[in-house]
Amino acid sequence: MIFLYLLIAIMILVAIVGLVNFLIKKYGGSRTAYSDNDCAHMIEKLCFNNHSKTIKKCINDAEKVAENHGVVLNYLPYNGEKAEDDSL
Amino acid sequence: MTHSKHFEDTLLPKIIRPSVSNALANVDEEFSDAVGLKSRIDDEHYILELSQIYEEKRDWLRRIYFGEDAIKRSVGKEDFWLDMHKIAAVLCRSILACKPISFNYKVACDYLEKHDKSKDINWLSKNFLINYKIAVDVAMGICFYDLIDRLGDDENKKKIENVDGLIKKLSNSGRLDYYSSPTFKQNHSNFYISLIEMLATNDTHNRNFDYLSFATICFQLQNHNVLEYKYNFMLNKNLELEKKASPKKSKK
């Protein structure tokens, strides 16, 4: 009999915790105007700025810009040269 | 399956190969021999794998940004492409997923301990962390071309005084200028090495690559190059004005 009472008490406790959790989430838990799911859905629907150039066109155009200035572009990765580190 | 034409024609010869060759040219020969360091850049299978990873990740990011139908919508149109900062991030991530240099990491760890190199970050960035150096270099290669491309725009020509000088400066150095660290001279990695450290730490701890944060770093570095040039240009201009003014003062 005592186990039955104990079981009922646990069930009531779980139900209260669940209800409180639900109420917090619905009415006051979120700091934003939207719940997390709504927010994620909104962000998915946003339209980000797009770019109208492919990498190939970008590189070709950069080479043309350099050519117009009488120079040839050759990418030379950095190797930790001292002079550049102290450039300011 | 074959890799796309633009990968073979543009990214590979203009950015990836120069980055790998440059990194290999700066490797410590003793370390290279000890750990059996090998480049995979001439391996056709490697190139195919890298290009597939790059295209897969690029299209995934495009779908996130412009919607599931972005790739369909962009066919035949100059639209719905990622900006070059994000392309730089995607290529950097692809290099991390498909590393161009292979070596025996276990032997390399023993080598570091034996030769007391584990705290020499300058040495580490060129040797033990060579794949991460290449990942940074390819990303910055894209930013380099992108900046020169944008400096050629008529709008930017109006915004930046003597833009021709900046284009020539960048072309002559062949790369972007990295932040100097005037206030962190001792026991602090410079900006470039910090990037390598960041990639290596995140990769080895299996942290997700943050494309947008990396793209923002690219954006900042390009802006730094323009602003530093503007600052130096103004400084030189003022110095010249002062020089011109000083003889008059002495006459008085």
Side-chain angles (χ1 to χ4, degrees), chain B residues 61 83-96 132-143 178 191-192 194-200 202 208-222:
Chain B
L61 204 57
D83 63 71
M84 292 306 139
H85 303 133
K86 289 182 196 73
I87 288 288
V90 168
L91 191 60
C92 177
R93 173 70 185 91
S94 309
I95 291 283
L96 297 180
Y132 302 99
K133 173 183 160 48
I134 293 169
V136 170
D137 289 343
V138 293
M140 296 311 154
I142 290 180
C143 298
Y178 292 93
F191 177 79
Y192 178 75
S194 297
L195 283 179
I196 296 171
E197 285 174 336
M198 176 188 78
L199 292 181
N202 286 345
N208 284 341
F209 185 86
D210 190 341
Y211 291 86
L212 303 188
S213 296
F214 194 88
T216 309
I217 291 171
C218 297
F219 175 86
Q220 283 176 319
L221 192 65
Q222 284 184 335

Side-chain angles (χ1 to χ4, degrees), chain A residues 48 50-53 55-56 59 61-63 69 71 73 75-79 81 84-87, chain B residues 10 14 22 26 65-66 78-81 126 133 137 141 145 149 164 168 174-175 177 180 185 192:
Chain A
F48 291 96
N50 64 345
H51 198 70
S52 58
K53 233 178 207 184
I55 177 70
K56 186 174 182 171
I59 291 177
D61 288 354
E63 284 177 336
H69 288 81
V71 279
L73 279 191
Y75 177 51
L76 299 164
Y78 181 53
N79 284 312
E81 294 90 342
E84 196 162 6
D85 204 29
D86 298 325
S87 57
Chain B
T10 314
K14 306 274 182 194
N22 174 72
N26 287 286
Y65 258 72
F66 308 125
E78 288 190 342
D79 221 347
F80 301 110
W81 297 100
K126 290 179 187 173
K133 173 183 160 48
D137 289 343
Y145 279 101
D149 173 30
D164 297 357
K168 279 182 183 165
R175 60 175 162 263
D177 187 40
S180 56
K185 282 288 174 196
Y192 178 75

Side-chain angles (χ1 to χ4, degrees), chain B residues 137-183:
Chain B
D137 289 343
V138 293
M140 296 311 154
I142 290 180
C143 298
F144 167 73
Y145 279 101
D146 177 44
L147 181 59
I148 292 180
D149 173 30
R150 283 190 289 115
L151 289 173
D153 286 354
D154 291 336
E155 268 184 43
N156 286 324
K157 279 179 187 169
K158 286 175 201 163
K159 281 183 203 164
I160 305 162
E161 201 178 350
N162 193 26
V163 73
D164 297 357
L166 178 53
I167 292 170
K168 279 182 183 165
K169 180 187 177 279
L170 288 169
S171 305
N172 289 337
S173 64
R175 60 175 162 263
L176 294 179
D177 187 40
Y178 292 93
Y179 289 97
S180 56
S181 324
T183 54

Side-chain angles (χ1 to χ4, degrees), chain A residues 7-50:
Chain A
L7 195 68
I8 291 166
I10 289 169
M11 281 170 75
I12 291 167
L13 201 69
V14 169
I16 290 169
V17 169
L19 185 70
V20 169
N21 222 353
F22 170 77
L23 290 173
I24 287 172
K25 269 189 182 172
K26 185 150 187 169
Y27 296 107
S30 175
R31 289 182 187 181
T32 60
Y34 308 99
S35 73
D36 289 350
N37 281 341
D38 285 340
C39 212
H41 186 62
M42 282 286 287
I43 288 168
E44 273 175 22
K45 286 169 86 179
L46 295 176
C47 183
F48 291 96
N49 283 339
N50 64 345

